[in-house]
Amino acid sequence: MNPAPRTGGRRGRPHSELRSRRLRATLAMAVVIALVGVFVVRLADIQIVQASELNAQSLNKREIRQVTYGDRGDIVSSDGTVLAGSVTRYNITAAPAFAEDVTVTETAADGTTSKQPLTVEQVLARVADITGGDEAAMQKSISDDPEANFAYLVKGVDVDAFRAVRDLKNSGVSWLYYERQSARSYPNGSVAGNLTGFIGTDGPQAGLELSADQCLAGTDGLQTYERGADGVQLPGSTVTTQEAAPGGTLALTIDSDLQYMAQQAVAEQAQAIGAESATAVVQEVKTGKLLAVADWPAVDPNDVNLTKDVADLGSKAFTSSYEPGSTFKAMTAAMLLDSGKAAPTSRVTVPYSRTFPWGGEIHDATFHPTEQLTLTGVLRDSSNVGISLLGQNLSAEQRRDYMVKFGLNEPTAVGFLGEPTSGVRPASDWDQQTSINTMFGQGVQTTAVHVAGIFQTLGNHGLRLPTSLVEGCTAPDGTVTMAPSTEGVQAVSPAAADSTVNMIEKVVSDGDLKDVLTIPGYRVGAKTGTAEVAKSDGTGYGSDRIVSVAGLAPAEDPQYVVVVTFTKPSTIKTSAAAAPTFNKIMSQVLEMYRVPPSTEPAPVIPQSW
């Protein structure tokens, strides 16, 4: 049987359907090409056009720069006692961009652990509680720039607080960080505080901290480390790009024990006599080194806010100019001897007072009948009239030239901050009264350290040595700089200086204060001073006084100078107020440095005729 014939065949697709399919394929291909083009353009933009900017941004997100602080150098006394040193402190920082609520792991006293959720605010509250910082300020640091990688929370916390913050970080607060810094400490408090100065929030503020900053300042270094996407520092990523370097050590000539004793001595007496301020200077005759420079009121560099008067933050022994009074007479006598205008036995008739053609008048401190004195007797009695009668044998210009040789017309070689930049006015500027007054220390201004320099010169056979406070600065590599000069100036002849020392011995052995000034076993030469203080309105002198004693020992071979000065005492207004403190400090100096007692008798010099 033949199969049945097919009744129909395969029908062809319409042309419209084929065209539609082709169009869809073309559109799909176009979209794909367009998308690929967009990606290619974007990729080119990222990899070529914006590459540098994006790389920098990426690096900024993961690489953190951290300053490492170079420790500031120490200030030490001559015996190595640290007067100013550096201690480790820490700044607590955060990464606001990663600051988020956390869950910390806390360990109880029995060793069990627990999980504790903390908000950002609670974390900051804990940091504030640990460090004593300002919680509101911390929250502001976090919120000011939420996208920042770095913000300070609290600065300068001690080691115990740092460890507690570190434990908090390690318990799960990954966005907390810290950096080490060096802070200043003054272990002996106010001992030499007026000399060392102090460090404030803006750096060195006074004293040697400021003037010797180039020696003391350390050099900061730099480290970088990388941080992951979660803000956690990547282990092993720290790279030191610049090493931190410590500052140098500043060695002073000051003896810390003597400095302490001198400060206590002047403070005690200043308060007892109601003085406004006081100073004490101890200087080594053969070297010019300052062994103690004491000021009252003193300043504690650890807490300068305790010092109410800004004038008390420095050293008045260096910076406070005053009319020294009769301590100047020793220098006037040395001038006369050096120039050949007088001798220790030169005779003069001394009334109580003296008037001048221009209407001026001078008188001695206490009334006395007319006396027949030698120059030695004039010094013993501290006669203004007597020294003026002999001193007029020198012209004003000659006397000023001697003052310059004694170093009174310039700052000391120490160059302490605030020292007067000029000293004795030209003689051409002196009026007739001033010319007379300068012979006994009125009408001329100087400082306590300058007065010490006068007696150092007399004790060193007329050779003035540069006053020194700093031995030198020793850098970490052992290099020494800032060594003081040792070149001296011969102010007067050795004979004139030695004779002057012999004459002022009589102030101690035969003068009105011999019972207070004498140090058993030692020959001591000294000169007292009771200077009138000029009124602030320029109308002459008032009732205020500056009282002082300056001297040296042992007189046969001077080793040490001591100068004590009390400004405006309210009770005892004569040099009798300064004599006990001079004796106390000089006695301590002779004992501390084991100076052998005197074995030679003092020369016999006529004091009257």
Side-chain angles (χ1 to χ4, degrees), residues 338-390:
D338 184 69
S339 62
K341 300 297 184 180
T345 56
S346 292
R347 299 178 177 185
V348 62
T349 300
V350 184
Y352 162 68
S353 65
R354 184 183 180 193
T355 58
F356 300 93
W358 58 85
E361 179 184 359
I362 63 172
H363 56 79
D364 288 340
T366 57
F367 178 79
H368 61 81
T370 298
E371 297 175 322
Q372 309 296 324
L373 300 176
T374 65
L375 175 55
T376 304
V378 166
L379 291 178
R380 178 201 64 192
D381 293 348
S382 197
S383 171
N384 296 336
V385 173
I387 201 69
S388 71
L389 289 167
L390 290 167

Side-chain angles (χ1 to χ4, degrees), residues 393-468:
N393 292 322
L394 287 171
S395 69
E397 289 79 9
Q398 288 174 315
R399 286 185 278 112
R400 184 190 183 273
D401 287 345
Y402 274 111
M403 294 179 194
V404 171
K405 289 182 181 179
F406 273 89
L408 304 185
N409 198 45
E410 59 189 9
T412 68
V414 172
F416 196 84
L417 289 174
E419 281 195 58
T421 56
S422 60
V424 185
R425 291 179 298 156
S428 59
D429 291 345
W430 299 352
D431 58 30
Q432 291 174 301
Q433 188 67 48
T434 299
S435 181
I436 295 296
N437 291 352
T438 57
M439 299 182 201
F440 48 83
Q442 298 280 177
V444 62
Q445 301 239 335
T446 187
T447 67
V449 175
H450 273 116
V451 172
I454 292 173
F455 284 79
Q456 178 276 320
T457 302
L458 296 175
N460 197 38
H461 312 297
L463 180 64
R464 174 172 64 89
L465 296 176
T467 300
S468 60

Side-chain angles (χ1 to χ4, degrees), residues 144-460:
D144 275 353
D145 186 359
E147 299 302 318
N149 287 309
F150 180 89
Y152 281 112
L153 297 183
V154 60
K155 295 182 178 182
V157 304
D158 62 24
V159 175
D160 290 338
F162 154 71
R163 288 172 177 165
V165 172
R166 183 184 61 187
D167 291 344
L168 177 61
K169 173 183 173 63
N170 292 340
S171 70
V173 188
S174 62
W175 47 269
L176 280 181
Y177 299 91
Y178 37 79
E179 61 183 21
R180 180 185 177 276
Q181 69 166 174
S182 181
R184 210 60 169 157
S185 174
Y186 302 88
N188 289 275
S190 64
V191 176
N194 298 68
L195 301 177
T196 62
F198 54 92
I199 301 291
T201 54
D202 295 326
Q205 299 294 303
L208 294 167
E209 290 279 26
L210 181 55
S211 63
D213 185 53
Q214 188 173 1
C215 164
L216 297 167
T219 302
D220 292 342
L222 184 65
Q223 289 181 342
T224 62
Y225 64 85
E226 294 187 3
R227 187 160 52 192
D230 58 357
V232 177
Q233 180 176 342
L234 299 178
S237 65
T238 300
V239 176
T240 299
T241 58
Q242 180 178 329
E243 292 284 355
T249 298
L250 190 71
L252 306 186
T253 59
I254 295 298
D255 182 316
S256 60
D257 290 338
L258 183 60
Q259 177 74 22
Y260 171 80
M261 190 281 295
Q263 287 187 208
Q264 296 300 308
V266 295
E268 179 182 352
Q269 184 68 349
Q271 293 173 79
I273 64 176
E276 184 179 278
S277 62
T279 65
V281 179
V282 182
Q283 188 171 25
E284 195 170 49
V285 169
K286 307 300 183 185
T287 64
K289 294 178 180 180
L290 294 169
L291 305 181
V293 181
D295 292 272
W296 184 86
V299 58
D300 184 349
N302 293 304
D303 190 358
V304 296
N305 292 326
L306 296 176
T307 302
K308 303 305 180 184
D309 189 345
V310 67
D312 294 330
L313 293 177
S315 173
K316 289 185 176 179
F318 279 104
T319 63
S320 182
S321 294
Y322 66 100
E323 297 180 55
S326 293
T327 53
F328 233 51
K329 291 172 184 171
M331 182 175 60
T332 302
M335 299 176 190
L336 291 167
L337 269 57
D338 184 69
S339 62
K341 300 297 184 180
T345 56
S346 292
R347 299 178 177 185
V348 62
T349 300
V350 184
Y352 162 68
S353 65
R354 184 183 180 193
T355 58
F356 300 93
W358 58 85
E361 179 184 359
I362 63 172
H363 56 79
D364 288 340
T366 57
F367 178 79
H368 61 81
T370 298
E371 297 175 322
Q372 309 296 324
L373 300 176
T374 65
L375 175 55
T376 304
V378 166
L379 291 178
R380 178 201 64 192
D381 293 348
S382 197
S383 171
N384 296 336
V385 173
I387 201 69
S388 71
L389 289 167
L390 290 167
Q392 66 188 7
N393 292 322
L394 287 171
S395 69
E397 289 79 9
Q398 288 174 315
R399 286 185 278 112
R400 184 190 183 273
D401 287 345
Y402 274 111
M403 294 179 194
V404 171
K405 289 182 181 179
F406 273 89
L408 304 185
N409 198 45
E410 59 189 9
T412 68
V414 172
F416 196 84
L417 289 174
E419 281 195 58
T421 56
S422 60
V424 185
R425 291 179 298 156
S428 59
D429 291 345
W430 299 352
D431 58 30
Q432 291 174 301
Q433 188 67 48
T434 299
S435 181
I436 295 296
N437 291 352
T438 57
M439 299 182 201
F440 48 83
Q442 298 280 177
V444 62
Q445 301 239 335
T446 187
T447 67
V449 175
H450 273 116
V451 172
I454 292 173
F455 284 79
Q456 178 276 320
T457 302
L458 296 175
N460 197 38

Side-chain angles (χ1 to χ4, degrees), residues 106-113:
E106 297 185 334
T107 303
D110 60 3
T112 59
T113 61

